[in-house]
């Protein structure tokens, strides 16, 4: 087994957790390489550029929070299992906390883990393609004006929304931005997508859940639009109107699961968090 390590140094201060993890890997004889953003904290013989690490390893271990996990998923050259070690606050996508590092190494070394597959999205705008694990958002760059969006499902007009924006979410993203917009929580095993208006100016508007094999098109004639994939702005449009097609991508995200925690137990534990 070969482990690639990506650490978010804003969370893993001075790479302390990553250092401990590497120490435990050495004790059990597991090879590892570390992405070069942390090169000042490790010997040069285990440091490599991020793309080289991901192409070399069998499993990626990410130290950080949900943002780190989303960044790693988008950076992978293919489908590669990711184990998330939570250094943030909620860490819904991560699997264990930093105080469980020894347990994580033992599970990897003994093969006592499973791999869970999660759907991803592909968004297409003017032949440009972007990818997301949680959601794709279309909204005005100026948030103080309501826009009009037409939503088509498999080419059929499903709704016209007057809102700040529209998002399309995977089941994984149903506990993220979509939840904040009063969207439903979907189990990761549900084969569906959520279409949700952001602050709709309407008395009847509600989220729509569709089969994940359907193609969703969002069309607007309003100007100064933007497209956001997993919290990152990928397009800013200054021209009038935008058409964006969102579909399930062929690529999936693979997460290493160690403790077989029930999804709903994790949901209660993470979303009842009220810490600072």
């Amino acid at each position: 087994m070969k482990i690639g390590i990506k650490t978010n140094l804003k969370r893993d201060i001075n790479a302390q957790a990553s250092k401990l993890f590497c120490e435990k890997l050495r004790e059990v004889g597991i090879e590892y390489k570390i992405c070069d953003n942390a090169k000042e904290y490790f010997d040069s013989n285990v440091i490599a550029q991020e793309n080289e690490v991901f192409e070399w390893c069998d499993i990626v271990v990410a130290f950080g929070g949900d943002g780190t996990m989303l960044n790693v998923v988008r950076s992978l050259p293919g489908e590669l299992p990711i184990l998330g070690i939570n250094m943030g606050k909620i860490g819904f996508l991560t699997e264990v906390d930093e105080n469980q590092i020894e347990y994580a190494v033992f599970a990897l070394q003994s093969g006592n883990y499973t791999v869970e597959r999660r759907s991803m999205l592909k968004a297409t705008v003017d032949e440009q393609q972007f990818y997301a694990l949680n959601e794709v958002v279309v909204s005005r760059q100026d948030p103080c004006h309501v826009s009009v969006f037409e939503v088509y499902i498999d080419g059929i007009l499903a709704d016209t929304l007057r809102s700040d924006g529209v998002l399309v979410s995977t089941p994984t993203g149903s506990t993220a931005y979509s939840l904040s917009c009063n969207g439903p929580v979907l189990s990761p095993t549900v084969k569906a997508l959520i279409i949700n208006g952001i602050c709709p100016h309407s008395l009847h508007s509600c989220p729509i859940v569709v089969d994940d094999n359907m193609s969703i098109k969002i069309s607007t004639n309003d100007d100064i639009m933007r497209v956001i994939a997993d919290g990152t702005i990928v397009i800013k449009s200054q021209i009038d109107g935008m058409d964006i097609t969102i579909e399930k991508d062929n690529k999936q995200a693979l997460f290493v699961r160690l403790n077989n925690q029930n999804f709903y137990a994790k949901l209660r534990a993470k979303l009842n968090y009220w810490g600072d």
Side-chain angles (χ1 to χ4, degrees), residues 67 70-71 74 130-131 135 137 227-235:
L70 293 172
N71 288 334
R74 289 196 302 270
F130 307 94
Y131 302 89
E135 74 280 310
V137 175
V227 177
I228 304 170
D230 284 345
T232 298
I233 298 174
V234 293
I235 288 182

Side-chain angles (χ1 to χ4, degrees), residues 121-131 234-235 247 249:
L121 296 173
K122 177 177 70 176
T124 305
V125 183
D126 295 332
E127 299 185 353
Q128 300 180 75
Q129 293 184 335
F130 307 94
Y131 302 89
V234 293
I235 288 182
E247 303 169 302
D249 188 32

Side-chain angles (χ1 to χ4, degrees), residues 75 81 101 145 217 260:
S75 301
I101 284 176
H145 294 86
K217 178 183 174 182
N260 293 319

Side-chain angles (χ1 to χ4, degrees), residues 5-276:
I5 298 171
K6 174 68 175 183
T7 185
N8 180 348
L9 294 172
K10 293 181 179 178
R11 297 292 188 183
D12 185 12
I13 305 301
N14 297 325
Q16 290 300 314
S18 302
K19 289 177 182 177
L20 176 60
F21 183 75
C22 292
E23 179 183 325
K24 298 300 179 182
L25 290 178
R26 289 194 297 272
E27 289 177 3
V28 298
I30 296 178
E31 290 184 84
Y32 64 89
K33 287 186 179 181
I34 302 162
C35 295
D36 58 359
N37 69 304
K39 62 184 178 182
E40 62 183 296
Y41 299 103
F42 297 91
D43 293 337
S44 59
N45 63 310
V46 295
I47 294 293
Q49 293 183 359
E50 182 178 286
N51 63 322
E52 294 176 352
V53 172
F54 292 162
E55 290 174 359
W56 171 83
C57 68
D58 301 311
I59 292 176
V60 175
V61 177
F63 288 81
D66 286 344
T68 305
M69 295 290 285
L70 293 172
N71 288 334
V72 170
V73 166
R74 289 196 302 270
S75 301
L76 294 179
E79 294 184 348
L80 196 61
I82 308 168
L83 171 63
I85 298 182
N86 185 30
M87 306 294 295
K89 295 180 179 179
I90 296 179
F92 202 89
L93 298 177
T94 57
E95 181 64 6
V96 295
D97 294 326
E98 58 178 310
N99 59 1
Q100 298 175 292
I101 284 176
E102 189 168 357
Y103 161 66
V105 172
F106 172 77
L108 291 173
Q109 191 259 344
S110 62
N112 187 25
Y113 62 89
T114 58
V115 176
E116 181 180 86
R117 306 182 76 89
R118 298 286 186 96
S119 296
M120 295 185 66
L121 296 173
K122 177 177 70 176
T124 305
V125 183
D126 295 332
E127 299 185 353
Q128 300 180 75
Q129 293 184 335
F130 307 94
Y131 302 89
L133 173 62
N134 274 352
E135 74 280 310
V136 174
V137 175
V138 186
S139 66
R140 282 182 64 96
Q141 296 178 47
D142 177 1
C144 298
H145 294 86
V146 171
S147 295
V148 179
F149 302 91
E150 291 183 337
V151 179
Y152 296 84
I153 300 173
D154 277 352
I156 300 172
L157 179 64
D159 203 355
T160 300
L161 296 174
R162 294 180 180 273
S163 62
D164 286 354
V166 182
L167 68 82
V168 176
S169 168
T170 63
T172 300
S174 72
T175 56
Y177 193 1
S178 180
L179 182 64
S180 301
C181 298
N182 295 318
V185 173
L186 302 184
S187 166
T189 59
V190 173
K191 307 300 183 183
L193 301 175
I194 303 167
I195 307 169
N196 204 348
I198 302 170
C199 298
H201 193 258
S202 170
L203 292 176
H204 78 274
S205 180
C206 63
I208 302 173
V209 179
V210 301
D211 187 287
D212 67 1
N213 287 316
M214 291 180 167
S215 176
I216 299 164
K217 178 183 174 182
I218 301 170
S219 180
T220 180
N221 291 323
D222 289 7
D223 57 2
I224 318 180
M225 304 304 295
R226 62 184 176 181
V227 177
I228 304 170
D230 284 345
T232 298
I233 298 174
V234 293
I235 288 182
K236 286 186 177 181
S237 174
Q238 300 295 332
I239 61 175
D240 291 342
M242 175 181 287
D243 293 326
I244 177 170
T245 300
I246 302 170
E247 303 169 302
K248 181 180 70 173
D249 188 32
N250 291 329
K251 176 183 174 181
Q252 293 182 309
L254 277 56
F255 292 139
V256 174
R257 299 305 187 203
L258 305 182
N259 52 19
N260 293 319
Q261 184 179 18
N262 179 276
F263 169 74
Y264 301 100
K266 190 171 188 178
L267 187 70
R268 291 195 306 271
K270 296 295 185 179
L271 296 187
N272 283 333
Y273 176 83
W274 289 97
D276 295 328

